[in-house]
Structures are given as C-alpha cells and as structure tokens.
Amino acid sequence: PLKPVFFKYFNASDLSSRVLGRNFIDIVETGAGSVTVTLRIPVKKRFIELTRTYIPIDDASWQFSERMGMGRIISGVQLSTSIFPFVRTGHADTYKVQLFTYVINGGGSLRFLSDGGGADTLKVSEQPRTRLSYATTYYDVQGDFDYVEATVTNELGTFQGVIVPQWKPYAPSAKELIFAVDFGTTNSHVEWAERGQESQPLTFTDHREQTLIASLLKKDSLLIADQLQRIEFLPREIDDVYGFPLRTALANNRGSAGGTNLFSDINIPFLYERQYFDGYEVATNLKWMGDNTLSKEFLREIMLLIKAKALLENADLDKVRIVYFYPVSMGGADRSRNLHVYPESIAPAFYYKGADVAGSSYVSVDIGGGTSDTVVYQTSADQQKTVPVAISSFRFAGNAIFGDAFTAHDADNSPLLQHYTEYFRKLVMRNPDVTYLNSIMNTIMTSKRSEDINAFLFSIENVEQLRDLPPMDRNLYSYNALLRGDDQRKLVFVYFYSALIYYIASSMKHRNFVKPKQIYFSGTGSKILNILGSRELVTELTQTIIERVFGETYTEPFSIKVERDCPKQITCRGGVRLENERLESHTTPEMSALIDMMRPRNVNAMKYCYSMIDEEQLTIDKVNDLAVRDKIVDEVKRFNQFFIDLCDPVMRDELGVDNKVFNVFKSVVDDNVANYLIAGINSYLQGRYESGAVVEDVPFFYPVIGVIRYNLLKNLCNEVIAKS
C-alpha cells in the first residue's frame, strides 16, 4: 500500500512512529510464506487503514490487479543493503553503501532520496564490483538522505520497494577523544581514549548505540551476502577476532581492472588470515611500495573508522586528536591543530618510562617488519631531565629473518618455511575445526612472499577456534613457542638480536653517550625476544653485549622492558599517553621543549645512522667506494667473532644451543659477507640517492641479513647438522 505519493505529504521517519496508539505501518509475516502490510494514514482525528497481502505466486503469466488487491512475492530474488557510518549529523555527511543482489536473470539498483521525494541535494556515484551469479555495487553518497528506493528488474518486470534507515542521531557533547594510529609494515594498530584516560584498541560492538554498519541482512541469514559484507565492506563488529592489530593489507577482486577507489575497488580485508575467501587478491607491504596510492586508501579507511567511532561516541569532532607515527627514514610532516606526528620510537618511552629512569640514559627500540627505529635519551645539561639526542631508522627488523632478503618472492627457497608450513599443514589436518587454515595458507603461499607466509603462521594460534585450548595444546599451534623450542634455529634469533644491540651500543659509544639504564621494546618484531628465552636471560645477554662494547661494567641495575603478548600496541598506547601529557602539561617547559624537539625539522637534526666504521655517516659516494665496503665487511666479520666469543659454553648452555649447532654456525657465518653487502646496496640504495646525499640507513646490516637468510637458515637444520 506504500506509494511514492506518500512521501509528498509525510516524512520517511513517520513510518516508524505511531498513529492513535497504533503503528504507522505494520509488516506481518503470516503462514505459507505470505506477508501482510498495513499502512495507517492519519486524517484529522482518525486514520485510514490500507492493507495489502503479498503471496508467493509461481505463475509467470500472473498480472497485478488493483481490484483484487493481492500482491506477489517474487521468488529467486535476494537483496540487501549496508550503510556506513550509520549515524547522521546533518552537516556534510558522507556515506558508503553496499548493495548485494542475487537476482536470477536480472539485477538491482538503489536511489537515495530526501523527504519530499527530492534527490537534487545529494551527490551520488555508483560502481559495480563483484559480478557473478550474485553481485555487489557500491555507492558514495554525499549529503543526507531519508529513504532509499530499491529497484529490482528480472524477466517478470521491474519492481520497487522502500528502505527507511532508522538513523542514530548525533548528539554532540564536550567529550574529547584521542586516537593513535601505528601504520606498520606487517600489522597496523589503532588505539583510542577519552582525554585523560588510558587507551584501548579501536572496537565496535553490534548493538544499537555502537552500530558500525546498518544492514537489512539478518545475521547469518544468507551466508554469501554475509561473507561479501565482511570481505568487501566491513564486519558487523570489530573486536579481538576481527580487529586491531590487523594485517596491513588491501583486497581487490581477482581479475579486476586494478582501480583504487575505496570499497568500490579495494578495502581492508578484515577476514584475511582469519577465514578462507576466494576470488580476491591481497596486497601487502603497502608501507614500502614506491607508489603510495594503496597506503593512502588503507589510511583513508582507518580514518573513516575513527570518524565513525567519534560520531558514535557523540564526541566533539573539533576536539578529536589524531596521533600518527612514522619511521624517521621516511620523514614526517609538521603537525596541525588536530594531527600530531611523531617518530615511531618516541611513543613507547611514554608507555614504559617511570621515576626509576628519570634523569638517566635509556633507549627506545621499535622493531617492526621492515625497519627498526631507535631513540637514545640522555641526561640534559641541567641534570634535571632526560631528553632525546639521537634518532635512527634502518632496514634491520623482523623481515631480516622472516623475509626474502635481497630476492623478492623467494619463499620456495626458504628452509624455515619449508619445515614449518609442512608441520602446520599436517597439524591442522588432524583438527576438523581448523582444516580451513590449509586453504588460507595455500592462498597466501601463491604470493611466494616469505614475510606474508610467516605472518600467517604467527596468526594461527589466535584464530577463534583455538583460543580456549589449554596452554599446552595451544602451544602446538604457536609459531612463537615452536621457534622458542627449535634447538637448531634458535641461534639465528640470538644472532639477529645481538647484532641489533651491538649496533645500538656501538653507536652510543661512538658519540660518548652514557650507557643506557633501560631499553624499551615495542613493535611486532619485538616478539623475537619471546623466542630468545626468559626476560632474565634476555636482560643478561643484552647487558653483556653493552658492557663488552663499552669496555666497562654496570654499577647500577640494568633492565629491559617489553610486553610479551602485545608489543605492537605499545606505540599507540604510548602515543595516547604522550598526547594526554601534552594536553595537561602544555605550559610545562619540559613538555614544550620535547614537543618542539619532535618537529620534523628538529628530528632531522637528530638523525643518526652510524656507519660502524671510522665515518660518522656515509654518503652514497662513500658506500660505492670499494675501500669503504672493505671496511664494512671487516666490521661485520669483527662482529661475527664478537658473537662467537659472546656465546661461551655458559651462555650457550643458558640459551639452549647445542655444540653441533654452534660448530656449524662458526663454519658458515663468514661466508659470502662481501657478496651480501653488494646485494644489499643494490637492493636498498642504488638509484635512490643522488651523488653526495647522506644514506639514511646502516649498510653494516646488509651482510648480516644475507648471513641470516642464506648461511644460517640454510645450514642450521637437522639435515646439515646431522652430517657435521
């Protein structure tokens, strides 16, 4: 009974109101699949009731008759829409709308309208995405709409219906929110907090007050529509199952034209590594792509989620503050009133630091997938506070072990993956609840990117079906636990970590800095510390390296700090604390000095990539000098001997390193060091610097990466060790 003329005299919202104690409209499902719709039109002090019943009719020749008053339910048609964000401010609102249709020999479309039947004030663009037996279309809507006209066309004709969103109104308050965004190589994370409060991961729960997306689709009522909503659009909930931290990735339809419009072409695949889905290609390594188009779209979706959260929290949008982090090797932008940009390794210190290091030396280390970022803090000249004095960012991080070194897409030649993919393949086949993980692994392995496959292996223990297992059973699925107990390969992780600490200590000694009293760790790559052993053992190892580099022992306690389960979150949590301190202490000279020091122009002045040879820093011309390269090679071999001496029988016993493993290590660690330096320079530096430019990286690490990938992972395995 609802006709277009209705909207000339009434508003769409009237349909959800009441008339003389009765619903304005009732839609009642009755027996045998029929539906009765009753519309009550108010007339003076009464109402006119208009009713029509719709029934399933299979007769293709059936024609509607106004006199009969009977409507037809069209079989073979499924249609659903989802709207994001589902909140209305009335001021320059923009919406993303997904249309799902499953129409035999036909299709569907949407038309967005305002009360009074007008669409003139709206700017709408539409773009099809999936086109199979089912289809998705995406609409960008600029402006407020009150209802949607849905049209379906098939072999029986053209039919229309009305969708009325029951908007959540935005009621702005004085609430001030802070969001922190850590855009990482492997994983990205977002935390949020109300001003003055501790932060928490960005989440959305599926209830009326926090609706992330509104959908006509009843939960679990149509599997393929529900799947496409989560794959191409957004899940109903963003939580610890489908939520942050999440993989830094974007998905597009396989075989598509390669467009880059958010949702219409690409989107963040919240199901990636968590559920199997086919027909899509997933792009990773967004952070280090030469073309930053995909990075922008990834961050655009993150910002849309942040805006939605702020609106649903009824926060004051003018007082929403964003804290964003960058590796100093990329450079940063000056902050604006609501955007504050800091180096990645600054924030963790604000999460960890306490009175025990006030006025003393410490180091913050953020180990990511692609880079490690460090900040050295020293006592100020007045001895009253600690200030950052040197900031570094270099390509020596998680991917030094879990990546493909200098050859892209080389996973087929990774002994580490050959061993563990086979292990997990057999393991999940024995558990019917998680056999789907093999399908996910097979899909990810087609990219032949070692870092992607390793990232998936680390994610397995966190899938929903394994979370409630007893710790001993769950450890069977824990890549971290397996590597910690891997007697053959554990030495690789000790070598990586020792090289990192050796560099930090050497760079500090070169500038006559005081030894650090503490070292703070953050970033996904910091999980490597879990593989090494207990906190006490890692602390002892770290202290020993620093003491030997400096040639002096500690006279006061030394410690390291790392969150074993969630190191990725630390940067964001520290960023929120930093912003809270800035807001509460903006008149404090210490805070004002720190904020000023973190401006990109001042950060640039603190950049410090120590050459590890008799040069403070290296230009590209120096790097290409054969004599300089020889010095770098000599320094790497000097470190290798340092590491061999470090791993004396007592240390090897504490680390659980077998003598046979250590003997193989000694026999291969110096092989091809000069070749790896050349390969690293060619991969990371050539063509990226003009003559005379300072290299913002540490070439010392290039041979170390090669040693790890081609010498150690290849030889520290049962097959080789058994022959030694």
Side-chain angles (χ1 to χ4, degrees):
L2 191 62
K3 304 281 189 179
V5 69
F6 172 87
F7 296 100
K8 291 185 178 180
Y9 302 99
F10 298 94
N11 292 332
S13 59
D14 291 332
L15 290 169
S16 58
S17 64
R18 296 175 70 82
V19 181
L20 299 178
R22 306 287 296 279
N23 290 334
F24 209 112
I25 190 169
D26 280 317
I27 304 175
V28 180
E29 296 185 33
T30 56
S34 63
V35 176
T36 296
V37 180
T38 302
L39 179 68
R40 300 176 180 92
I41 304 295
V43 180
K44 296 184 179 180
K45 294 184 179 180
R46 60 190 182 89
F47 57 80
I48 298 173
E49 192 169 86
L50 306 174
T51 300
R52 176 159 292 152
T53 296
Y54 302 81
I55 63 173
I57 298 175
D58 294 329
D59 184 1
S61 64
W62 181 88
Q63 296 291 323
F64 172 74
S65 170
E66 190 72 51
R67 182 180 63 82
M68 294 294 292
M70 188 73 69
R72 177 182 196 168
I73 294 176
I74 309 167
S75 61
V77 171
Q78 297 282 357
L79 178 147
S80 182
T81 59
S82 301
I83 300 172
F84 166 76
F86 198 62
V87 61
R88 182 171 181 167
T89 71
H91 302 287
D93 288 322
T94 60
Y95 302 96
K96 304 283 186 178
V97 181
Q98 181 200 54
L99 169 66
F100 168 87
T101 54
Y102 179 80
V103 182
I104 298 174
N105 298 322
S109 63
L110 301 177
R111 184 170 173 242
F112 301 86
L113 298 160
S114 301
D115 284 333
D120 297 339
T121 60
L122 301 175
K123 184 178 179 182
V124 181
S125 63
E126 68 175 284
Q127 182 176 326
R129 183 164 176 178
T130 295
R131 284 295 182 264
L132 299 170
S133 57
Y134 47 85
T136 56
T137 302
Y138 291 85
Y139 295 83
D140 284 320
V141 184
Q142 297 181 30
D144 293 314
F145 60 94
D146 298 293
Y147 63 103
V148 183
E149 185 181 85
T151 300
V152 170
T153 301
N154 65 5
E155 56 194 5
L156 298 177
T158 299
F159 310 92
Q160 293 176 325
V162 170
I163 302 166
V164 181
Q166 295 182 300
W167 294 110
K168 178 189 184 299
Y170 169 60
S173 66
K175 184 184 291 187
E176 299 181 35
L177 299 185
I178 301 169
F179 294 87
V181 180
D182 183 4
F183 175 47
T185 301
T186 305
N187 296 311
S188 292
H189 187 57
V190 181
E191 295 254 337
W192 74 285
E194 192 170 349
R195 178 175 172 176
Q197 304 298 315
E198 288 295 312
S199 66
Q200 57 187 304
L202 179 63
T203 59
F204 294 86
T205 53
D206 188 21
H207 61 74
R208 182 72 179 95
E209 296 304 313
Q210 283 283 298
T211 302
L212 174 61
I213 57 172
S215 178
L216 285 182
L217 184 68
K218 293 180 180 179
K219 194 171 184 180
D220 301 324
S221 62
L222 186 60
L223 182 61
I224 186 61
D226 195 54
Q227 184 94 333
L228 284 171
Q229 180 178 286
R230 288 183 292 161
I231 295 172
E232 291 186 3
F233 201 40
L234 290 163
R236 294 175 184 269
E237 295 183 316
I238 293 179
D239 51 19
D240 60 344
V241 177
Y242 303 112
F244 295 95
L246 52 72
R247 285 285 273 123
T248 305
L250 288 172
N252 67 286
N253 294 62
R254 185 175 298 133
S256 63
T260 57
N261 293 319
L262 186 60
F263 296 122
S264 304
D265 297 304
I266 56 176
N267 63 287
I268 296 174
F270 281 84
L271 296 190
Y272 186 58
E273 296 183 340
R274 294 166 166 91
Q275 285 193 18
Y276 175 68
F277 56 91
D278 194 18
Y280 298 84
E281 295 177 345
V282 177
T284 57
N285 198 38
L286 308 182
K287 189 171 182 177
W288 299 100
M289 286 183 175
D291 180 358
N292 62 8
T293 301
L294 294 184
S295 296
K296 287 182 179 179
E297 294 309 307
F298 180 89
L299 291 170
R300 190 189 310 278
E301 184 167 345
I302 294 294
M303 291 306 299
L304 289 174
L305 290 171
I306 286 174
K307 182 180 179 182
K309 186 68 173 182
L311 291 173
L312 292 169
E313 290 288 331
N314 293 316
D316 183 345
L317 291 186
D318 286 337
K319 294 183 179 179
V320 170
R321 293 171 176 84
I322 310 294
V323 180
Y324 183 76
F325 310 98
Y326 67 94
V328 294
S329 58
M330 281 188 170
D334 274 318
R335 60 186 60 81
S336 63
R337 184 169 64 90
N338 294 75
L339 176 65
H340 299 271
V341 184
Y342 300 104
E344 286 177 339
S345 47
I346 283 289
F350 281 82
Y351 176 80
Y352 286 121
K353 75 172 186 176
D356 54 335
V357 292
S360 63
S361 171
Y362 56 91
V363 179
S364 174
V365 183
D366 184 90
I367 308 176
T371 64
S372 290
D373 288 71
T374 68
V375 182
V376 176
Y377 295 82
Q378 295 281 283
T379 306
S380 60
D382 60 9
Q383 303 294 307
Q384 299 300 308
K385 56 184 178 292
T386 302
V387 295
V389 293
I391 295 179
S392 299
S393 181
F394 40 84
R395 282 180 176 267
F396 188 69
N399 287 348
I401 297 176
F402 300 115
D404 289 316
F406 317 122
T407 305
H409 308 286
D410 195 36
D412 287 349
N413 295 311
S414 168
L416 182 69
L417 287 176
Q418 289 169 4
H419 176 78
Y420 280 106
T421 54
E422 185 62 22
Y423 166 86
F424 278 108
R425 197 183 304 280
K426 293 177 179 177
L427 180 69
V428 302
M429 283 300 295
R430 297 198 296 266
N431 184 345
D433 292 335
V434 294
T435 53
Y436 71 90
L437 291 172
N438 272 336
S439 297
I440 298 177
M441 184 162 64
N442 290 338
T443 300
I444 294 175
M445 287 180 70
T446 59
S447 72
K448 301 186 186 300
R449 286 174 51 86
S450 293
E451 53 264 49
D452 289 347
I453 302 168
N454 276 300
F456 169 68
L457 297 184
F458 277 113
S459 75
I460 286 177
E461 66 175 302
N462 294 316
V463 299
E464 195 171 6
Q465 296 84 353
L466 301 176
R467 292 188 172 198
D468 295 330
L469 288 178
M472 186 175 296
D473 293 337
R474 190 177 176 187
N475 275 347
L476 294 174
Y477 297 89
S478 171
Y479 196 26
N480 224 308
L482 293 167
L483 291 172
R484 186 166 58 246
D486 190 328
D487 295 338
Q488 282 77 40
R489 298 173 180 86
K490 187 174 182 180
L491 193 60
V492 178
F493 297 91
V494 180
Y495 179 75
F496 166 88
Y497 179 76
S498 298
L500 179 63
I501 300 302
Y502 179 82
Y503 167 77
I504 292 171
S506 298
S507 67
M508 293 182 70
K509 181 184 179 184
H510 177 74
R511 284 200 169 180
N512 296 316
F513 292 151
V514 176
K515 297 190 307 297
K517 184 177 180 180
Q518 287 185 347
I519 298 182
Y520 307 139
F521 289 95
S522 61
T524 301
S526 293
K527 288 187 175 181
I528 288 173
L529 275 69
N530 298 340
I531 298 170
L532 301 181
S534 67
R535 178 76 56 85
E536 294 73 20
L537 177 59
V538 177
T539 300
E540 179 188 349
L541 175 65
T542 309
Q543 179 174 335
T544 302
I545 294 171
I546 295 172
E547 288 180 337
R548 292 191 181 187
V549 170
F550 273 83
E552 57 189 50
T553 58
Y554 277 90
T555 58
E556 57 183 355
F558 166 82
S559 64
I560 64 170
K561 291 188 176 182
V562 61
E563 291 286 345
R564 299 187 72 89
D565 297 325
C566 54
K568 179 64 182 176
Q569 292 90 315
I570 299 309
T571 298
C572 285
R573 291 174 184 174
V576 171
R577 287 187 180 180
L578 190 160
E579 184 64 9
N580 268 320
E581 285 192 32
R582 188 190 70 82
L583 292 170
E584 300 302 324
S585 311
H586 60 275
T587 56
T588 303
E590 182 176 357
M591 179 56 66
S592 297
L594 177 63
I595 297 301
D596 184 65
M597 199 174 294
M598 289 304 101
R599 294 185 182 279
R601 60 178 178 272
N602 295 328
V603 168
N604 287 335
M606 283 191 288
K607 284 183 181 179
Y608 175 43
C609 286
Y610 177 44
S611 69
M612 295 294 285
I613 57 176
D614 55 0
E615 305 277 349
E616 171 76 3
Q617 56 190 9
L618 294 175
T619 63
I620 190 63
D621 307 280
K622 290 277 189 180
V623 170
N624 289 325
D625 186 316
L626 295 181
V628 170
R629 293 187 181 188
D630 288 342
K631 290 180 180 179
I632 295 173
V633 169
D634 290 342
E635 182 55 38
V636 172
K637 291 182 176 180
R638 188 175 297 112
F639 162 70
N640 288 343
Q641 186 58 50
F642 174 95
F643 181 76
I644 290 170
D645 296 339
L646 176 72
C647 293
D648 57 27
V650 174
M651 183 65 75
R652 294 203 302 273
D653 183 60
E654 291 179 341
L655 291 168
V657 175
D658 183 80
N659 285 335
K660 285 187 175 181
V661 173
F662 191 59
N663 288 334
V664 172
F665 172 88
K666 289 190 294 182
S667 69
V668 301
V669 70
D670 281 338
D671 291 352
N672 301 314
V673 171
N675 293 341
Y676 300 147
L677 175 61
I678 294 171
I681 291 170
N682 291 339
S683 297
Y684 303 143
L685 302 183
Q686 295 297 11
R688 301 183 182 183
Y689 292 92
E690 296 180 357
S691 178
V694 174
V695 171
E696 295 185 358
D697 203 359
V698 182
F700 163 82
F701 286 122
Y702 301 165
V704 178
I705 294 171
V707 167
I708 290 172
R709 181 66 167 81
Y710 304 113
N711 296 7
L712 304 186
L713 289 176
K714 178 182 177 181
N715 290 288
L716 298 188
C717 58
N718 284 327
E719 294 78 8
V720 176
I721 294 168
K723 298 176 182 178
S724 63

